[in-house]
Amino acid sequence: QVQLVESGGGLVQAGGSLRLSCAASGGVFSSHDMGWFRQPPGKEREFLATISRSGSFTSYADPVKGRFTISRDNAKNTVYLQMNSLKPEDTAVYYCAGGYFGTIASRYDYWGQGTQVTVSS
């Protein structure tokens, strides 16, 4: 059973940056495609980015394209989300997920517990 633990969330001013990390354990990390999602207050969970098991392929949601970058280090069993030019509307709980390459949350097999990101104006 793969376990995922996110870290790196916090409070940041608009225009600032944060890097989220998601550490995996309990499985062969390099065999899993990974993704990042977020859930703003009172809204549905939404797809942000996905990365293939080798890291060769990535895909992004339009609202974060050009601002967020997904990457992974298979030697460290970790996937990252670099977030730049943050906006107040980026405020949400951020989740990493594993087991699928794509935008559909229900297709992912594993989820972390989430980390809060708050962007102040």
Side-chain angles (χ1 to χ4, degrees), residues 63-110:
V64 304
K65 199 173 292 183
R67 297 192 299 126
F68 291 9
T69 302
I70 189 171
S71 62
R72 65 190 296 160
D73 185 337
N74 286 343
K76 295 183 177 179
N77 292 347
T78 301
V79 62
Y80 304 97
L81 187 68
Q82 177 67 43
M83 306 186 295
N84 298 327
S85 302
L86 284 163
K87 307 174 183 179
E89 52 263 43
D90 293 318
T91 294
V93 178
Y94 283 69
Y95 299 89
C96 70
Y100 180 66
F101 181 87
T103 65
I104 304 171
S106 61
R107 297 283 184 92
Y108 285 80
D109 298 317
Y110 313 107

Side-chain angles (χ1 to χ4, degrees), residues 6 20 34-40 45-50 70 81 92-98 100 102-108 110-111 114-115:
E6 300 96 336
L20 305 183
M34 301 292 295
W36 284 97
F37 290 75
R38 69 184 178 190
Q39 187 163 15
R45 191 170 298 192
E46 60 185 17
F47 166 78
L48 297 175
T50 187
I70 189 171
L81 187 68
V93 178
Y94 283 69
Y95 299 89
C96 70
Y100 180 66
T103 65
I104 304 171
S106 61
R107 297 283 184 92
Y108 285 80
Y110 313 107
W111 290 86
T115 185

